[in-house]
Amino acid sequence: MRKSLFLYLFIIAALMNVFTYKYFTSKDGAAIASLTETKKKVTDSLKLVTNQLYDANAFSLETNDRAQNYLQQNDLPAFSEKVKQALLAYNDAPEGNKYTDQPKMGEQKYIINKVKILNHRWVIANYSNGEIWGEVLLKYFVNDDQTISFEILNSYLYPKELN
């Protein structure tokens, strides 16, 4: 009797070990498959975002080799910052930035908020007076004395939204 009890206990323990082994190996396989699928999704998303960023920067001085060759600048980030700062310096005028192509309305003056240098000749910027927003396309020139001058090509003021 005692011998058969130990035999049954041994068989039950062996079966439990087999089932436990099978459970954990299939669980690891499912986890690996899930991680592989997640990695594929992340890789695809990263490629998509990279392509979108490349498309968004298609019109940018940093990615335009011809414009860079035209400018013959060794330090392109410093040059870009110089152009941006030259344009933003006009925000300090009491009447607002004259390159927004908008006169001051009441107490609020129009100032330029963001600037993007498109190439060796054009800059696009958005501006606002705190309530009304607009965008302007500017042509810029590097003068002989290394100062930057601007010319308004076109400006658009969005209509005020009524709530």
Side-chain angles (χ1 to χ4, degrees), residues 73-87:
Q73 294 292 323
N74 294 333
D75 193 5
L76 203 58
F79 175 77
S80 296
E81 189 63 27
K82 179 180 178 181
V83 172
K84 288 177 185 178
Q85 291 305 319
L87 184 58

Side-chain angles (χ1 to χ4, degrees), residues 9-71:
L9 286 174
F10 177 74
I11 292 172
I12 289 172
L15 284 174
M16 287 183 67
N17 282 337
V18 168
F19 288 128
T20 304
Y21 173 76
K22 183 71 175 164
Y23 170 75
F24 282 114
T25 56
S26 67
K27 185 178 175 184
D28 287 345
I32 289 172
S34 174
L35 286 174
T36 304
E37 184 178 327
T38 303
K39 180 182 175 187
K40 184 181 182 307
K41 286 180 183 178
V42 168
T43 304
D44 291 344
S45 297
L46 185 60
K47 285 180 184 176
L48 178 68
V49 168
T50 302
N51 289 339
Q52 287 176 342
L53 181 62
Y54 179 77
D55 289 342
N57 282 331
F59 293 102
S60 175
L61 181 61
E62 289 80 17
T63 59
N64 189 335
D65 291 335
R66 292 183 184 116
Q68 291 174 11
N69 290 339
Y70 178 83
L71 288 172

Side-chain angles (χ1 to χ4, degrees), residues 5 7 13 38 41 63 65 79 81 95 131 137 140 151:
L5 180 65
L7 180 64
T38 303
K41 286 180 183 178
T63 59
D65 291 335
F79 175 77
E81 189 63 27
E95 294 299 314
E131 294 178 9
L137 181 65
Y140 74 94
E151 176 184 315

